[in-house]
Amino acid sequence: MKEYKIAKGWAIFIYILAALFIIPFVFVLFLPLMPGMENEVTPDLYWFLALMSIAIISIVVIAVIDTYKGKFVIDKNRIFSVGAFSTKELMLNEIKGYRVTDKFLFIESKDENKKRIKINTYFAHTNGIKEWLSINYSDLDVLQAKIEKEEILKNQEFGSNTQEREANLAKAFRTSKILNWAGGLIAGWTLFFPTPYEYAILASIAFPIICLIILKYYKGLIRVDEQKAKTYPTIFWAIFSSSIGLSLRALLDFHIYDYSKLWLPSIVILLTYLTVLYVGNNEFTKNDSKVNFTILGLAIFIYAYSYGAVVTLNCVYDKSEPTLYNASVLSKRVTTGKTTTYYIELTPWGTEKENKEVSVPKDLYNRLEYNEKVTIYFKKGRFEIPWFKVTEN
């Protein structure tokens, strides 16, 4: 019998990190009992923070228990893994094969009703587990790649003979590589150096449509989802990067005043794109959780694309005469994280009855002073989605 547990170094690191992580959330729980802190937060805010703290502390405690108890055992006629609150077991003759990722080893059963066993690669001596698995069982990703390659070379939709199908597959890989690079370059152009501006926006809007047309042209030989086996070429990054680049540009550059007329065209574009993508696409014929997760992920960033397309077209091609309003700067603040955002708080203007905080470019933020007057350019929008822009007087 061989037993594997998480490496001691990793275990010590997790224990220390867990202790440091829990301390601030325990502090939140005891806020009302601390002298001078009784009235620091409102009851509603306290209960929200308390529930959030309890949830996070529970997750951390479970992680610590799993680190302490967790192990994987290879026995004479079975394998089993022990977690925080459960034990999973497979007889050796029940094992179908294994899969390897950066963080986990997965051992799958021949019986689809039995859950697979997951082994953390932070366990000590996981190379020994991999070696044992490779000697006795099949790598299911390699096996899947072999089966998929055979399916491609037999599919008459991809060519009239084997040589033509191999050539078309190689061409599909080259095409996907070009599209992925182009998508990344367009995203970088749109986000970091959008000059000429209109051309960058049009390129970002047109590119996901071009990708969709190419997907249809290759009749399933090029796919959207990124597979570990990589038998089929994918253009996931082409669509993802250009879509996210466009949506971020829209969020950075334009302030939408009223969103009520924005949602319908955005949803129509989303549903149209997904319908064209889905219909006749063999990639989505299976009805399983993985396919459903892929469709959900696609829906999220395609909606980001549709939002960005509607907003940028509405604002860039808006020929209406602006209405000018004046306001004063009440306060300024900066938020930092993966990105830095600059905000100013303005006095009421137009139909606004309360102070409103808006984001502005860094150079404008640095030039503005407290109580300084600014001008708001308010426009109707190409699609009657009103928007505004803040400038210096």
Side-chain angles (χ1 to χ4, degrees), residues 79-279:
I79 61 171
F80 63 92
S81 66
V82 179
F85 303 110
S86 65
T87 299
K88 295 178 183 177
E89 176 184 278
L90 282 176
M91 305 305 291
L92 296 186
N93 58 6
E94 292 179 321
I95 298 174
K96 178 182 179 181
Y98 67 96
R99 300 181 190 275
V100 181
T101 68
D102 293 337
K103 295 182 179 179
F104 298 101
L105 297 173
F106 295 98
I107 302 176
E108 298 190 6
S109 171
K110 296 174 184 176
D111 185 352
E112 294 182 356
N113 295 320
K114 285 195 172 184
K115 291 185 177 181
R116 61 186 180 179
I117 291 177
K118 182 172 71 173
I119 307 163
N120 199 316
T121 53
Y122 292 141
F123 277 13
H125 310 299
T126 48
N127 285 335
I129 304 174
K130 291 179 185 178
E131 184 179 354
W132 178 80
L133 287 168
S134 64
I135 292 171
N136 295 284
Y137 301 99
S138 299
D139 184 325
L140 296 178
D141 287 322
V142 174
L143 187 62
Q144 178 186 341
K146 183 178 179 181
I147 293 170
E148 287 179 350
K149 183 70 176 290
E150 291 174 354
E151 289 175 351
I152 292 171
L153 297 181
K154 290 178 182 178
N155 193 332
Q156 295 183 359
E157 289 186 351
F158 301 148
S160 57
N161 54 57
T162 301
Q163 290 74 22
E164 186 176 345
R165 292 163 202 153
E166 285 184 333
N168 286 337
L169 180 60
K171 182 181 176 182
F173 269 107
R174 289 195 298 272
T175 301
S176 68
K177 187 175 182 179
I178 291 170
L179 290 174
N180 285 325
W181 273 101
L185 291 172
I186 288 172
W189 175 26
T190 304
L191 271 177
F192 304 112
F193 192 69
T195 304
Y197 191 89
E198 287 190 25
Y199 289 106
I201 295 299
L202 289 175
S204 292
I205 292 172
F207 192 71
I209 298 172
I210 293 170
C211 290
L212 185 59
I213 293 169
I214 291 173
L215 275 172
K216 290 297 179 181
Y217 173 79
Y218 275 92
K219 300 177 182 179
L221 193 54
I222 293 179
R223 298 197 167 186
V224 181
D225 191 21
E226 192 170 31
Q227 301 287 333
K228 188 173 187 294
K230 297 191 182 300
T231 312
Y232 290 91
T234 175
I235 55 172
F236 170 83
W237 291 107
I239 301 175
F240 174 80
S241 55
S242 55
S243 298
I244 297 301
L246 178 64
S247 63
L248 290 176
R249 190 76 269 162
L251 289 169
L252 289 169
D253 291 351
F254 305 107
H255 297 290
I256 301 300
Y257 184 78
D258 182 359
Y259 287 88
S260 59
K261 292 186 178 181
L262 172 61
W263 307 125
L264 180 60
S266 299
I267 292 171
V268 168
I269 293 172
L270 165 68
L271 295 178
T272 302
Y273 197 102
L274 289 180
T275 300
V276 175
L277 178 65
Y278 184 83
V279 173

Side-chain angles (χ1 to χ4, degrees), residues 29-41:
L29 288 177
F30 288 95
L31 270 178
L33 303 178
M34 295 180 181
M37 301 295 291
E38 300 90 341
N39 300 315
E40 286 298 313
V41 293

Side-chain angles (χ1 to χ4, degrees), residues 316-380:
V316 172
Y317 295 96
D318 181 6
K319 304 302 180 183
S320 66
E321 287 295 323
T323 302
L324 273 58
Y325 297 102
N326 290 317
S328 298
V329 178
L330 293 177
S331 63
K332 301 166 62 177
R333 71 181 180 94
V334 180
T335 62
T336 57
K338 291 186 178 179
T339 60
T340 302
T341 308
Y342 301 85
Y343 292 97
I344 58 172
E345 184 183 7
L346 300 177
T347 55
W349 56 269
T351 58
E352 291 287 338
K353 298 185 183 302
E354 297 179 352
N355 300 340
K356 186 170 184 177
E357 193 174 58
V358 297
S359 61
V360 293
K362 179 182 178 181
D363 55 348
L364 177 59
Y365 177 91
N366 290 332
R367 291 196 303 270
L368 292 174
E369 302 292 340
Y370 295 110
N371 296 319
E372 185 174 345
K373 296 286 186 181
V374 294
T375 300
I376 293 100
Y377 286 78
F378 184 87
K379 302 193 74 175
K380 293 180 180 178

